[in-house]
Amino acid sequence: MIGRKRPPFDWRWKRKRPVALSGVLRTGTGKPLAGAALGVFEQPRTGGGFRRVATLRSDASGRFGHKLANGPSRTIRIRYDGTPLVKPAAETVAIRV
């Protein structure tokens, strides 16, 4: 589980300021997942597929963070692929400029 279960975010920000995304990766029982790999993907608002822009690793407390590059409106997806014992998870954020 990435953060809490909730609908996709819709953020607006000024182009001149970078946006920092952060969260905590936890199991279904709430235990933090340390050292887990997460992928950050983006898709332009005008269409096209998602492309990987970063690979992150959670810290000992399951925390992770990433600064987004300035750019156009787009959708960001942070994805954890899971393990044989832990289900995969993803969170989507709509960035509007």
Side-chain angles (χ1 to χ4, degrees):
M1 174 186 321
I2 297 177
R4 291 180 272 137
K5 290 186 178 182
R6 56 192 140 172
F9 297 102
D10 190 2
W11 289 354
R12 293 184 185 276
W13 101 94
K14 295 180 181 180
R15 250 179 228 247
K16 295 179 182 178
R17 296 185 187 166
V19 170
L21 299 177
S22 62
V24 178
L25 183 63
R26 303 179 192 273
T27 65
T29 60
K31 181 181 174 185
L33 281 172
L38 298 109
V40 180
F41 301 83
E42 71 177 15
Q43 177 186 41
R45 187 174 184 192
T46 57
F50 279 91
R51 68 178 181 90
R52 183 182 296 265
V53 294
T55 300
L56 312 176
R57 192 150 302 270
S58 62
D59 68 11
S61 300
R63 292 186 184 107
F64 61 89
H66 177 69
K67 279 192 178 180
L68 297 175
N70 292 338
S73 294
R74 59 200 185 260
T75 300
I76 305 295
R77 182 171 292 153
I78 299 174
R79 188 176 76 199
Y80 169 65
D81 288 333
T83 69
L85 299 176
V86 180
K87 292 183 178 182
E91 191 73 41
T92 302
V93 179
I95 303 292
R96 303 291 178 239
V97 178

